[in-house]
Amino acid sequence: MKLVQPSCALKAKGSQSLFSCLTAEQLDKLQPHTCHYFKKGQPIFQEESMPTGVYCISEGLVKVTKLGSNGKEQILRIAKPGDFVGYKSLIKGGRYRASAIAIEDSSICLIPKAIFMEILHENVEFYQQIVHLLCEVIDSAESKLTDIAYKPVRGRIAEALLLLDKAFEDKEQITLTREDLAGLVGTVKETAIRIISEFKHEKLIEINKRSIKIINPDGLVKISHLYD
């Protein structure tokens, strides 16, 4: 793990930044934060370990995963630049309930536990934003559970590709592995490969080795909403 100079979403002061409500003094407390470089496939933290802080993604993508009872990896969400990971367990005060792993080479900043909790208790607006963020995560998880229960895999993969396209918005192609795509929608790799091949023949996507480029987003939207 290599230390790098931060060029980080933590310091963003725009209206979309979670830190836009902080005072100048509170922002100063974030200045000495440490930014780490993680290679593709490297864990940021692991399930059942104790939290040391909150991680903010500056560059790259991270998958948040949990092992199922069958030993298979289930991807709970994909975190992109500006997103936070590890905060739920930190606030709750327990061990990590999931793992976070870099999908691609990533620069990720760590806000130490003491600083994060101090600001959380000092700043009511920041506290409210964190609560709002938690609610959004819960809503997303509930929607995903409903999709897995009622929406066929074809619709789930179409929806996942559209979501990933947003996560990879600064790139022309999606570089998630078929195994990770399967883990994201709750199916097996073989099924994901078959449906991706179908989408290619239907001219919804293009495939370049392991990368996917969406060429007909409206078609994927129709498939995604077909079973709603």
Side-chain angles (χ1 to χ4, degrees):
M1 185 168 58
K2 174 185 172 186
L3 293 179
V4 297
Q5 282 297 107
S7 173
C8 179
L10 285 176
K11 294 186 177 181
K13 297 179 68 175
S15 60
Q16 298 302 313
S17 170
L18 196 65
F19 293 91
S20 61
C21 63
L22 299 189
T23 65
E25 182 181 354
Q26 289 167 342
L27 285 170
D28 285 342
K29 292 178 181 178
L30 298 176
Q31 297 305 313
H33 70 269
T34 304
C35 208
H36 298 279
Y37 179 78
F38 294 84
K39 290 188 175 181
K40 179 181 178 180
Q42 187 175 357
I44 291 90
F45 58 79
Q46 294 182 310
E47 193 172 343
E48 295 302 325
S49 62
M50 289 300 296
T52 57
V54 174
Y55 294 88
C56 178
I57 301 167
S58 178
E59 297 176 359
L61 292 169
V62 170
K63 60 179 179 180
V64 180
T65 71
K66 188 172 180 63
L67 286 179
S69 57
N70 57 1
K72 290 186 177 181
E73 180 183 85
Q74 174 69 52
I75 297 181
L76 305 179
R77 69 184 179 104
I78 302 292
K80 60 186 185 301
D83 287 347
F84 295 87
V85 291
Y87 58 91
K88 294 191 297 295
S89 297
L90 187 71
I91 293 171
K92 184 179 178 182
R95 296 180 182 273
Y96 285 124
R97 301 288 295 177
S99 300
I101 302 165
I103 294 176
E104 57 186 27
D105 293 351
S106 303
S107 177
I108 302 173
C109 301
L110 173 65
I111 307 173
K113 176 181 178 179
I115 293 176
F116 180 81
M117 296 304 292
E118 180 182 345
I119 294 175
L120 189 67
H121 287 109
E122 285 179 353
N123 192 307
V124 174
E125 189 176 349
F126 181 66
Y127 174 85
Q128 291 173 338
Q129 289 196 52
I130 293 295
V131 171
H132 180 74
L133 186 61
L134 286 167
C135 291
E136 287 184 337
V137 170
I138 293 171
D139 287 346
S140 177
E142 289 176 346
S143 295
K144 186 173 180 179
L145 285 173
T146 303
D147 283 348
I148 290 175
Y150 299 107
K151 184 178 288 189
V153 179
R154 184 176 164 87
R156 301 204 304 266
I157 290 182
E159 183 175 18
L161 288 175
L162 292 167
L163 292 173
L164 288 168
D165 193 44
K166 291 182 179 179
F168 284 84
E169 61 185 352
D170 60 337
K171 304 175 179 64
E172 291 188 357
Q173 297 180 325
I174 300 167
T175 55
L176 198 69
T177 67
R178 305 299 183 267
E179 188 172 4
D180 280 346
L181 180 60
L184 182 61
V185 301
T187 188
V188 296
K189 182 173 72 172
E190 292 75 15
T191 300
I193 291 172
R194 175 177 58 80
I195 292 174
I196 287 297
S197 179
E198 290 176 2
F199 287 170
K200 177 185 176 183
H201 289 304
E202 293 166 21
K203 301 189 183 304
L204 299 171
I205 62 173
E206 290 179 350
I207 298 176
N208 180 18
K209 296 182 179 179
R210 295 187 177 183
S211 298
I212 298 171
K213 181 178 181 179
I214 295 177
I215 57 175
N216 185 357
D218 291 340
L220 289 176
V221 169
K222 288 180 181 178
I223 294 172
S224 174
H225 291 170
L226 184 62
Y227 308 98
D228 287 349

